[in-house]
């Protein structure tokens, strides 16, 4: 058994070393990316199915890598979370998104709410709510224009501290949404206790609704659940007309997905149109 163990050790160590080296390299590149302004935000509109108007946008970070091109967050957000970079990165995202939202308002463009993803580590900083307040003050953005997206697991660990932070944010007028709703281990009993505005229904619940009656009834249940909790709903990952029509039949009007708009730069999003103009 001992020899076997040693063999396994030897077998795993080379690939693991290579992975660790790649990881370290990515990590140091990522610190530089933040310092050198290689990160950019793209924005994906959310629309109201009844009016067809843009009622909000979600900010999604990308890395404009000098040699590899545009890199998506799935590749670097987990790394940033592990090495602590998520705090300065998250701060940059929030500040940049609020600046952009304020800039659209100054141009008379009504994009609705600016939704920003907040990682667990960032949200759990004791001074998080204060840093949001400072960013709103610095950018002059109305708190009601900002929506923070947090996941179920972010608030299910350390429930009391989470509620305190959420209450402080909502007291300022900031909106709170649960991201990827239905994929975490939500305790429904707990969910009632959280000061929340909106649930973002995870796109996995939309996947087979046109072909699988069970999928359709599951999505229906989730919409009814959200409504019974008094929460607003947004469905994400809407990729086709059938999904949009089903959601409309459930009176889940707020949607986001490739069927309507891809995430795009601030300039491109303005080019899409579909938003209102401020009086
Ligand atoms: P998420 O918050 O669930 O964001 C939605 C993701 O779904 C985005 O991927 C978006 O491009 C993609 N998406 C939108 N519509 C559709 C659709 O119709 N079909 C499909 N298949 N996908 C769609 P993206 O931009 O690659 O982001 C991935 C994840 O990275 C996000 O998932 C979020 O968890 C994280 N992330 C992105 N930006 C930030 C950020 O600024 N801070 C933090 N902490 N996390 C971020
Ligand atoms: Ca999100
Ligand atoms: Ca999501
Ligand atoms: Ca996610």
């Amino acid at each position: 058994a001992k020899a076997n163990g040693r063999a396994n050790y030897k077998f795993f160590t080379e690939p693991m070393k290579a992975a660790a080296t790649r990881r370290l390299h990515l990590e140091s590149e990522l610190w530089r990316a933040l310092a050198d302004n290689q990160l950019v935000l793209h924005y994906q509109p959310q629309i109201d199915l009844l009016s067809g108007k843009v009622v909000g946008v979600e900010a999604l970070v990308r890395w404009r890598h000098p040699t590899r091109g545009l890199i998506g967050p799935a590749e670097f957000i987990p790394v940033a979370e592990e090495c602590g970079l998520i705090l300065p990165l998250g701060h940059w995202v929030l500040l940049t998104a609020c600046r952009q939202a304020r800039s659209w308002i100054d141009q008379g463009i009504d994009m609705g709410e600016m939704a920003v993803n907040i990682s667990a580590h960032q949200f759990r900083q004791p001074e998080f709510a204060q840093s949001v307040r400072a960013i709103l003050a610095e950018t002059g953005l109305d708190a009601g224009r900002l929506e923070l997206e947090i996941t179920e697991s972010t608030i299910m660990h350390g429930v009391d501290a989470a509620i305190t932070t959420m209450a402080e944010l909502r007291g300022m007028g900031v909106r709170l949404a649960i991201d990827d709703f239905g994929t975490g281990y939500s305790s429904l009993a707990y969910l009632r206790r959280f000061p929340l505005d909106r649930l973002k229904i995870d796109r996995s619940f939309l996947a087979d609704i046109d072909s699988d009656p069970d999928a359709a009834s599951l999505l229906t249940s989730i919409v009814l659940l959200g409504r019974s909790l008094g929460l607003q709903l947004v469905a994400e990952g809407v990729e086709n007309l059938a999904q949009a029509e089903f959601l409309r039949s459930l009176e889940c009007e707020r949607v986001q997905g490739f069927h309507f708009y891809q995430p795009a730069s601030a300039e491109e999003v303005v080019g899409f149109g579909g938003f209102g103009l401020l009086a």
Side-chain angles (χ1 to χ4, degrees):
K2 217 174 184 181
N4 196 12
R6 203 173 297 140
N8 280 338
Y9 178 73
K10 221 172 167 188
F11 179 76
F12 280 113
T13 192
E14 283 311 317
M16 278 170 71
K17 246 173 141 170
T21 306
R22 265 203 311 277
R23 182 78 163 211
L24 266 177
H25 182 62
L26 188 65
E27 212 181 289
S28 66
E29 273 197 311
L30 198 47
W31 282 99
R32 195 166 338 116
L34 187 61
D36 290 356
N37 280 316
Q38 292 171 19
L39 298 181
V40 284
L41 291 185
H42 278 187
Y43 301 91
Q44 185 179 33
Q46 298 180 352
I47 69 155
D48 180 287
L49 281 176
L50 294 182
S51 66
K53 282 246 161 23
V54 173
V55 285
V57 294
E58 177 179 6
L60 296 158
V61 68
R62 275 96 181 84
W63 178 3
R64 224 185 260 136
H65 192 280
T67 56
R68 292 171 59 202
L70 208 61
I71 302 178
E75 202 176 319
F76 62 89
I77 288 289
V79 177
E81 273 165 351
E82 275 180 31
C83 70
L85 182 59
I86 196 67
L87 294 180
L89 190 157
H91 186 269
W92 178 86
V93 167
L94 199 51
L95 181 62
T96 306
C98 288
R99 274 200 187 124
Q100 184 58 61
R102 176 62 211 225
S103 160
W104 277 327
I105 290 168
D106 288 344
Q107 295 168 62
I109 295 170
D110 185 4
M111 290 284 189
E113 288 129 21
M114 172 64 74
V116 180
N117 292 285
I118 303 297
S119 85
H121 189 46
Q122 191 184 1
F123 180 80
R124 291 188 194 131
Q125 295 298 303
E127 66 279 14
F128 177 67
Q130 278 313 311
S131 72
V132 172
R133 193 191 295 277
I135 286 174
L136 290 171
E138 180 181 341
T139 57
L141 184 69
D142 182 12
R145 289 271 177 177
L146 179 63
E147 177 165 303
L148 302 181
E149 298 191 2
I150 49 186
T151 64
E152 293 163 73
S153 62
T154 296
I155 58 173
M156 290 297 170
H157 296 108
V159 169
D160 292 335
I163 291 176
T164 303
T165 300
M166 293 168 83
E168 194 175 343
L169 289 164
R170 270 182 109 225
M172 291 158 46
V174 173
R175 290 157 175 280
L176 297 174
I178 294 292
D179 203 357
D180 306 338
F181 180 68
T183 62
Y185 70 105
S186 244
S187 153
L188 293 181
Y190 270 144
L191 202 59
R192 266 184 49 238
R193 292 179 51 200
F194 291 110
L196 282 169
D197 298 284
R198 190 169 285 155
L199 298 178
K200 291 194 84 174
I201 302 169
D202 190 73
R203 71 165 179 268
S204 57
F205 294 102
L206 271 65
D208 301 318
I209 53 159
D210 41 353
S211 57
D212 179 358
D214 289 341
S217 65
L218 184 58
L219 178 61
T220 306
S221 307
I222 287 176
V223 169
L224 294 177
L225 171 73
R227 202 163 288 144
S228 72
L229 290 167
L231 299 174
Q232 298 162 2
L233 297 163
V234 52
E236 61 178 347
V238 181
E239 292 180 346
N240 57 54
L241 185 62
Q243 292 169 337
E245 278 175 348
F246 188 72
L247 288 161
R248 198 213 293 253
S249 76
L250 295 176
E251 291 175 57
C252 176
E253 287 103 15
R254 196 173 174 115
V255 292
Q256 179 181 348
F258 296 163
H259 178 64
F260 301 98
Y261 298 103
Q262 299 269 342
S265 71
E267 298 74 36
E268 288 171 307
V269 165
V270 169
F272 291 159
F275 45 84
L277 297 178
L278 295 165

